[in-house]
Amino acid sequence: MRLHRVLVSLLLVAAAGIFTSGATMLTKASPTPLGRVVPAPASVKAWGSPYRITGATAIRIDDSPRVRRIGQYLADILRPSTGYRLPLVHWGRGGIQLRLERQTKGGFGAEGYRLDSSEGGITITATEPAGLFHGVQTLRQLLPPTVEKKSVQPGPWLVAGGTIKDSPRYAYRGAMLDVSRHFFTVTQVKRYVDELALYKINKLHLHLSDDQGWRIAVDSWPRLATYGGSTEVGGGEGGYYTKADYQEIVRYAASRYLEVVPEIDMPGHTNAALASYAQLNCNGTAPPLYTGTDVGFSSLCVGKDVTYDFVDDVIRELAAITPGRYLHIGGDEAHSTSHDDYVKFMDRVQPVVAKYGKTVIAWHQITGAHPAKGALAQYWGLDDTDAAEKAQVAKAAQNGTGLILSPADRIYLDMKYTGDTPLGQDWAGLVEVKRSYDWDPGNYLAGAPGSAIRGVEAPLWTETIVTDADIDYMTFPRLPGVAELGWSPASTHDWDTYKVRLAAQGPRWDALGISYYRSPQVPWPPK
């Protein structure tokens, strides 16, 4: 009889569909706990019964076009997998409500939100549309991973009861895609934007020019794109964005509340430009196009007036089609430019950026020159970078230069995970998932005041990256950790709890078709 009872109990457990995610046991009919979200919310309070999305659920919005677009975005995610109509309707009771409240006591800031869930419905409240959009990303993660599929799934579609109050730690949370070493189409960039948006990334830094390719059309210098963009690493056909292409990327990113930050790298990393126009070279002779991966061998001719005509034209045309506030002027690895020439060049170029209404971002080498007022320096050094170089960056920060942190041996997404990783590089070291997460931007750079830290950015250089699958494999699972460093309060920062929340993302990536690296440091649920 005792054996019979044991067998019955086992059958009941199997029928309940119990599965393991990390160290926690959940039934398939149980909602995802409110705290199992990446990035970690600022405040979580569980209470009450879950809400169940059913065929009677509506998405309730006001008559604002921006709120309607967010409601439509949510409906487009939920309808294929649930099979429900989920109509967009004006205010009423119940359902999923997206609510802008400009005069909310205390406010939510530009990107914060509150999510309330109970048996009677779900309400996402924010001061600005960006906050509503970020709240929608949280709602996605509170639903089963199969909600991301494009065919009808069985459900049930439960959202745990309680309240999330959330806002970001840093205003700048970026990811960079190098489209110069290998070119990626508009469609591929849009796909990456969608992946970034899921984790509340709000800046897309596009590295548009380098030795191997120039990727943006410039009407006043047309050969930059047609000739300078005609190849890539390894000798492929390359490509470039027309202005319409670029504006489509900007528009699409904006619809996901990402701001595009375009980069024209100079005075180094300029072989594609030098090959396109002989007059940009000090000797008046154009070098051949370059398809290798070396760095530091090229430089614009700092002493020529035509160089600054070129820079003015490029910045003017790019600024005109970039609604965001920033324009990145590169400035790294200018080994073929003397220090005096580098300082002279940066002193002349930064005012051009300001003239066309943009704020300068440059790699942290600009701190060896004279950073313009309001400029941001993007730090890409290592934990063991020379102390004098770190001190130079810290001093600039003390004098008012803002910092974006992109330490290469922490969050360069092109670094190999292990020595066996088939893609990527290892010049900055091997960067497993724990290493990419386990540091604090607030105290990373000694001597730099915490108030100077504007945020973090994860660059993906593409010397070895060719396909969407390559992008995914090197980006995931490290990018969500970078997003959490940028969004979540420092008090939530803990590897042991994070790795469990990260593991729960694996089935969602499977549903989305994201091919990720299954790090042995993360307790992934079995497939």
Side-chain angles (χ1 to χ4, degrees):
M1 179 63 71
R2 181 178 179 184
L3 177 61
H4 175 74
R5 287 198 298 269
V6 170
L7 289 173
V8 169
S9 297
L10 290 172
L11 288 171
L12 289 172
V13 166
I18 289 180
F19 71 97
T20 302
S21 179
T24 304
M25 301 294 286
L26 296 171
T27 69
K28 286 186 177 179
S30 298
T32 299
L34 291 183
R36 189 167 294 180
V37 174
V38 178
S43 169
V44 175
K45 184 177 181 180
W47 55 268
S49 300
Y51 177 69
R52 181 187 293 262
I53 298 175
T54 70
T57 298
I59 298 174
R60 302 189 182 279
I61 58 173
D62 62 21
D63 57 1
S64 161
R66 290 187 295 177
V67 176
R68 173 168 287 278
R69 283 193 291 269
I70 295 169
Q72 187 62 56
Y73 169 88
L74 176 59
D76 289 344
I77 292 168
L78 300 182
R79 285 170 179 163
S81 53
T82 64
Y84 302 147
R85 287 182 58 245
L86 299 171
L88 270 63
V89 300
H90 288 303
W91 291 123
R93 299 184 65 183
I96 302 172
Q97 301 198 26
L98 304 180
R99 187 185 297 270
L100 280 185
E101 291 189 0
R102 302 287 186 184
Q103 304 302 321
T104 301
K105 184 178 180 180
F108 300 100
E111 296 185 279
Y113 65 92
R114 172 176 172 145
L115 187 151
D116 293 290
S117 174
S118 68
E119 190 173 7
I122 296 170
T123 302
I124 301 174
T125 309
T127 305
E128 299 290 341
L132 285 183
F133 185 81
H134 295 322
V136 164
Q137 304 313 315
T138 296
L139 176 58
R140 287 173 72 175
Q141 291 191 36
L142 294 175
L143 288 163
T146 51
V147 79
E148 309 292 350
K149 288 185 174 289
K150 298 303 181 185
S151 58
V152 175
Q153 303 297 310
W157 309 108
L158 298 176
V159 177
T163 297
I164 291 175
K165 298 178 182 178
D166 207 5
S167 58
R169 180 182 184 186
Y170 294 113
Y172 193 110
R173 306 177 307 281
M176 188 212 77
L177 182 62
D178 169 17
V179 297
S180 295
R181 271 45 178 270
H182 280 99
F183 180 68
F184 295 92
T185 65
V186 172
T187 298
Q188 289 177 299
V189 175
K190 285 181 174 181
R191 182 178 185 273
Y192 199 46
V193 165
D194 281 332
E195 293 175 351
L196 301 178
L198 182 59
Y199 296 98
K200 303 180 177 71
I201 295 293
N202 69 350
K203 301 288 186 290
L204 173 64
H205 172 182
L206 287 178
H207 186 76
L208 291 170
S209 70
D210 214 296
D211 293 313
Q212 299 86 352
W214 186 283
R215 305 304 184 199
I216 182 67
V218 179
D219 295 340
S220 51
W221 299 76
R223 275 175 57 84
L224 291 171
T226 58
Y227 183 68
S230 64
T231 192
E232 60 187 11
V233 166
E237 65 180 10
Y240 66 90
Y241 305 118
T242 65
K243 287 186 173 180
D245 290 336
Y246 176 79
Q247 288 173 299
E248 174 61 14
I249 291 171
V250 168
R251 183 205 64 77
Y252 191 82
S255 76
R256 271 60 175 161
Y257 292 88
L258 277 84
E259 177 183 348
V260 171
V261 178
E263 180 188 355
I264 302 297
D265 206 347
M266 48 190 169
H269 287 282
T270 46
N271 193 80
L274 299 173
S276 302
Y277 288 96
Q279 63 265 44
L280 297 177
N281 296 271
C282 287
N283 63 6
T285 301
L289 292 169
Y290 182 68
T291 61
T293 58
D294 289 341
V295 299
F297 61 87
S298 60
S299 179
L300 293 170
C301 190
V302 174
K304 279 188 169 183
D305 287 340
V306 69
T307 295
Y308 304 99
D309 294 336
F310 162 79
V311 169
D312 192 284
D313 287 337
V314 170
I315 291 177
R316 171 176 50 80
E317 292 194 33
L318 186 54
I321 55 175
T322 300
R325 77 203 85 169
Y326 299 113
L327 199 150
H328 203 304
I329 58 174
D332 63 324
E333 297 175 323
H335 305 321
S336 295
T337 313
S338 71
H339 175 71
D340 287 346
D341 277 354
Y342 181 86
V343 173
K344 184 187 302 181
F345 181 84
M346 287 300 180
D347 284 350
R348 287 195 64 173
V349 169
Q350 291 182 88
V352 177
V353 176
K355 180 171 72 171
Y356 293 112
K358 303 302 176 186
T359 297
V360 167
I361 301 180
W363 299 107
H364 75 259
Q365 282 73 21
I366 197 174
T367 61
H370 306 110
K373 184 178 181 180
L376 303 182
Q378 185 168 356
Y379 180 78
W380 60 278
L382 316 180
D383 283 5
D384 61 358
T385 287
D386 179 73
E389 186 174 353
K390 288 183 175 179
Q392 174 184 286
V393 177
K395 183 177 180 181
Q398 293 165 13
N399 291 332
T401 299
L403 299 181
I404 302 165
L405 298 182
S406 300
D409 58 340
R410 295 285 183 173
I411 58 173
Y412 263 33
L413 299 179
D414 57 305
M415 290 299 110
K416 290 174 176 285
Y417 294 97
T418 70
D420 297 328
T421 305
L423 301 170
Q425 305 183 83
D426 60 6
W427 61 263
L430 302 175
V431 182
E432 250 285 10
V433 180
K434 182 178 181 180
R435 180 167 181 79
S436 67
Y437 174 81
D438 209 11
W439 62 285
D440 182 2
N443 59 24
Y444 176 76
L445 194 61
S451 59
I453 309 303
R454 299 293 185 267
V456 295
E457 181 179 289
L460 179 59
W461 302 100
T462 61
E463 287 91 342
T464 68
I465 309 302
V466 180
T467 66
D468 288 339
D470 293 345
I471 291 175
D472 288 352
Y473 185 79
M474 300 305 284
T475 299
F476 294 95
R478 288 181 290 200
L479 177 87
V482 179
E484 178 150 307
L485 291 173
W487 179 279
S488 303
S491 61
T492 67
H493 187 78
D494 176 74
W495 166 253
D496 288 332
T497 56
Y498 171 71
K499 69 183 180 182
V500 175
R501 289 183 288 112
L502 181 63
Q505 300 296 305
R508 190 169 305 276
W509 299 337
D510 291 332
L512 286 165
I514 294 174
S515 55
Y516 59 99
Y517 165 64
R518 288 180 67 87
S519 169
Q521 297 181 338
V522 179
W524 307 105
K527 285 193 175 184

